[in-house]
Amino acid sequence: MTTYHQQAYSGALGVEQANKVLRNTYSLLAMTLAFSAVMAGISASMNLPHPGILITLVGYFGLLFFTTKFRNSAMGLVGVFGLTGFMGYTLGPIINRYLSLPNGGEIVMLAMAGTAAIFFALSAYALIKKTNFSFMGSFLTVGILVAFLAGLGAVFFEIAALSLAVSAMFVLLMSGMILYQTSEIVHGGETNYIMATVSLFVSIFNLFTSLLQLLGFMNSDE
């Protein structure tokens, strides 16, 4: 009986901890999405130039390293907002480019709606079904690495077909990441809400930009 009660108590603590991480993650995610949107709006309204692939990569990985290093302290929050704000700034020029296309406003709105629909649907599925998607971790890591390298190749060698293929890959991979990260929180595999927020934010960001590219290409064909 003692063992049974200990297991039940431990399980209850585990569920309570997972729920706390989940609440903190979604609260911080909402704030960082809003902050990033503000930065993107400022960048777009001021017509700021895109910093370029090299500065973007250095800024992203530098801020990601900072956030990871201080993930267990208040400085980690500074890193999260620095990272998401920087990504918002880089998004402004991208949005301006698509807004300049025929039906550009519709493309941006469709990409936003598609991103929101995918995120909420997959998050709800992971939360309600409580399926453990931890088995996807290795596959997603390899897939993202391959897609990232292919994306760099598409940028440097200016291969449009490869760029579109990478965007399609990222839509699938980021959808998988949303399922995986939400599952990790629910099942106690991720206990740091700062890192969970970063993972979900990056997934949403890449999902949105990938949908933008795919929708922009379809619009140009019309």
Side-chain angles (χ1 to χ4, degrees), residues 12 47 63 110 130 155 186 213:
N47 203 27
L63 288 166
L110 279 174
K130 292 185 171 22
V155 170
V186 170
Q213 183 162 9

Side-chain angles (χ1 to χ4, degrees), residues 101-116:
L101 298 175
N103 302 319
E106 182 180 344
I107 292 171
V108 173
M109 291 305 296
L110 279 174
M112 290 178 63
T115 301

Side-chain angles (χ1 to χ4, degrees), residues 19-205:
N19 289 337
K20 181 180 179 182
V21 174
L22 195 63
R23 288 193 301 270
N24 289 341
T25 297
Y26 282 149
S27 296
L28 184 57
L29 181 63
M31 288 187 284
T32 53
L33 285 171
F35 180 62
S36 182
V38 169
M39 293 301 296
I42 293 173
S43 177
S45 63
M46 295 180 65
N47 203 27
L48 297 176
H50 193 277
I53 185 66
L54 293 179
I55 294 178
T56 298
L57 290 176
V58 171
Y60 170 75
F61 284 110
L63 288 166
L64 180 60
F65 174 80
F66 179 90
T67 304
T68 303
K69 181 177 176 62
F70 294 102
R71 63 187 179 275
N72 294 315
S73 69
M75 287 301 293
L77 292 173
V78 175
V80 169
F81 281 98
L83 175 63
T84 56
F86 175 74
M87 293 177 74
Y89 157 66
T90 65
L91 186 60
I94 296 174
I95 291 176
N96 273 347
R97 187 168 75 247
Y98 283 97
L99 288 176
S100 67
L101 298 175
N103 302 319
E106 182 180 344
I107 292 171
V108 173
M109 291 305 296
L110 279 174
M112 290 178 63
T115 301
I118 291 171
F119 174 75
F120 285 118
L122 293 177
S123 296
Y125 180 85
L127 291 171
I128 295 171
K129 293 293 185 180
K130 292 185 171 22
T131 304
N132 194 331
F133 290 100
S134 60
F135 66 90
M136 297 173 62
S138 298
F139 168 78
L140 289 170
T141 299
V142 173
I144 291 171
L145 178 60
V146 171
F148 174 72
L149 293 176
L152 288 180
V155 170
F156 286 114
F157 296 105
E158 299 182 352
I159 306 173
L162 179 58
S163 181
L164 289 172
V166 169
S167 293
M169 288 175 63
F170 264 108
V171 169
L172 296 175
L173 290 167
M174 294 304 106
S175 297
M177 277 298 298
I178 292 169
L179 279 175
Y180 171 77
Q181 188 60 66
T182 306
S183 171
E184 284 291 279
I185 298 172
V186 170
H187 294 280
E190 177 60 83
T191 58
N192 187 290
Y193 73 96
I194 288 179
M195 297 313 299
T197 299
V198 169
S199 177
L200 288 174
F201 180 92
V202 171
S203 297
I204 292 170
F205 182 93

